[in-house]
Amino acid sequence: PAAEAALRDAVLGPPGPAQRRAVAKTITLLESTRADHRLRADALLDALLPHAGRSLRLGISGVPGVGKSTFIEALGLYLCGLGHRVAVLAVDPSSTVSGGSILGDKTRMEQLSVHPQAYIRPSPSSGTLGGVAEKTRESLLVCEAAGHDIVLVETVGVGQSETAVAGMCDLFCLLQLPNAGDDLQAIKKGVMELADLVVINKADLDEAAATRARAHITSALRLIGLHGRARAPDRGDEDTTATPPLDALWQPQVLQLSALKGAGLTDFWSVVRRFQQTQRANGQLAARRQQQDLAWMWERIDAGLKQRFRAQAAVRDALPDHARAVREGRMAASVAARRLLDLYG
Ligand code: GDP
């Protein structure tokens, strides 16, 4: 308890090397798989939570090579220049396969990583997407408690990780290449629907193409808007505050930018500020975060229950026979599920 109190005080203390070490140590603790570490990390999260929540949480996604790290480096330095304290986190489920994390890698953000107002943490590299996202969410709270007022959460544009990141951010920004095809992929995968803001990067390469892409994506977003944008699933069992849908107040914007040349950052930031004002003025921010937190709680309960169910001795013993019976058509799937659930108790 004394060690935890010291760690908590250092995280909440003045910015500097001691705080930086304490933040790193806290995140390492909550990434640990040891049960005693988990208990200590949970106690720390309880203590830090009242000091968290005061940042702008900005999600950034895009396919490999679109320029995410170049953009984050440029944006991060720009924001530090404005006096902000920036944290960069990442959700990279592929790191669980490759063993190393590509995203949030300090060598990719050379200047930002040594900036005294910035803190960069690579993606946790263990567990499922849900597990990785859980650590990143918790790290976000730690960074906020330490006074970082802007948290950038990076994810690569493959798979389900965009949904996870959109589910922990106030604003989700999708980076696109200035060519046709990239936007079609994003639309098909349902990622475009998550975007509050689309940035066409590398606009310096081909301005005409970037302009075409912008028109294309703008009309795609309008169509998506007509059909209602993707939202976290409504669990139906929770009290959600009635607020007007953000869609009525905010039409997703499309911007052109060159991360390499640092061109368009001021425009980008003013759009983000406008989004933030809209979100705050209408109670949207609190509503979105509430909904995200409850959806996340249920996500983790579902995942935890499934894990406990499979690990329980009676279920583990009966599972192969039941699965075989279902496979061979001797037992209805629903009947097998009921019997296994009854075994679980
Ligand atoms: P990531 O994989 O999404 O993180 O992409 P990187 O930031 O590593 O960028 C991939 C490549 O694109 C690098 O060679 C960058 O220098 C280059 N790049 C990034 N942004 C721009 C840009 O705005 N214009 C041009 N011309 N190149 C860029």
Side-chain angles (χ1 to χ4, degrees):
E4 260 85 271
L7 206 50
R8 177 203 62 206
D9 291 347
V11 169
L12 296 175
Q19 186 190 57
R20 184 180 290 269
R21 274 196 303 277
V23 167
K25 214 165 158 185
T26 304
I27 295 178
T28 301
L29 195 63
L30 59 85
E31 284 178 353
S32 168
T33 50
R34 269 175 51 180
D36 58 325
H37 287 171
R38 187 66 261 177
L39 282 178
R40 288 172 56 198
D42 284 356
L44 261 169
L45 284 175
D46 280 344
L48 295 176
L49 192 66
H51 306 275
R54 291 187 206 117
S55 82
L56 166 67
R57 304 166 178 174
L58 181 58
I60 294 169
S61 176
V63 295
V66 71
K68 289 181 297 301
S69 59
T70 311
F71 177 62
I72 291 170
E73 164 106 346
L75 179 66
L77 291 171
Y78 172 79
L79 294 173
C80 287
L82 294 179
H84 293 289
R85 292 183 62 207
V86 180
V88 182
L89 305 173
V91 173
D92 179 12
S94 70
S95 63
T96 64
V97 181
S98 64
S101 64
I102 317 155
L103 298 182
D105 184 347
K106 292 179 188 179
T107 58
R108 292 163 71 238
M109 301 164 197
E110 270 177 32
Q111 292 182 58
L112 190 62
S113 65
V114 294
H115 198 290
Q117 284 157 247
Y119 179 78
I120 300 182
R121 181 87 184 186
S123 177
S125 60
S126 69
T128 55
L129 168 60
V132 170
E134 175 173 287
K135 307 302 174 204
T136 305
R137 268 178 169 269
E138 292 176 350
S139 306
L140 189 150
L141 299 175
V142 176
C143 291
E144 286 182 342
H148 288 281
D149 61 338
I150 295 172
V151 183
L152 307 177
V153 187
E154 177 187 16
T155 192
V156 75
V158 289
Q160 290 302 301
S161 56
E162 295 97 334
T163 312
V165 170
M168 67 177 86
C169 287
D170 305 327
L171 185 159
F172 185 72
C173 171
L174 179 66
L175 291 193
Q176 290 276 289
L177 292 165
N179 58 32
D182 199 27
D183 53 338
L184 284 179
Q185 285 305 318
I187 294 166
K188 269 202 291 193
K189 287 194 302 164
V191 180
M192 193 71 84
E193 296 181 36
L194 300 169
D196 300 298
L197 193 53
V198 178
V199 167
I200 300 160
N201 190 35
K202 305 197 187 186
D204 58 292
L205 286 182
D206 184 345
E207 218 162 292
T211 306
R212 273 199 307 278
R214 186 178 187 175
H216 213 208
I217 294 170
T218 303
S219 59
L221 286 170
R222 208 164 283 143
L223 269 177
I224 290 169
L226 288 177
H227 291 281
R229 296 173 61 212
R231 284 288 164 263
D234 186 1
R235 306 284 312 204
D237 49 3
E238 291 303 335
D239 213 20
T240 42
T241 323
T243 43
L246 184 62
D247 302 18
L249 309 164
W250 181 262
Q251 174 69 36
Q253 310 270 307
V254 189
L255 297 173
Q256 280 167 253
L257 197 139
S258 170
L260 194 63
K261 308 216 156 135
L265 286 175
T266 310
D267 281 350
F268 173 83
W269 190 239
S270 70
V271 172
V272 170
R273 295 309 293 248
R274 203 147 27 87
F275 178 87
Q276 208 181 5
Q277 278 155 16
T278 309
Q279 207 175 31
R280 286 200 171 139
N282 295 282
Q284 289 291 337
L285 181 65
R288 184 162 174 162
R289 286 186 176 181
Q290 254 175 40
Q291 194 197 22
Q292 287 175 334
D293 281 342
L294 286 174
W296 185 242
M297 182 185 79
W298 279 110
E299 208 277 339
R300 294 327 281 159
I301 289 174
D302 287 347
L305 278 177
K306 205 165 176 180
Q307 204 182 9
R308 286 181 198 188
F309 174 77
R310 285 170 179 272
Q312 207 214 36
V315 173
R316 215 179 38 223
D317 291 346
L319 199 58
D321 282 347
H322 283 68
R324 195 173 322 116
V326 170
R327 219 169 26 240
E328 293 170 357
R330 286 183 285 111
M331 200 187 294
S334 56
V335 172
R338 260 193 301 278
R339 289 187 181 144
L340 287 167
L341 283 168
D342 284 344
L343 283 177
Y344 181 62

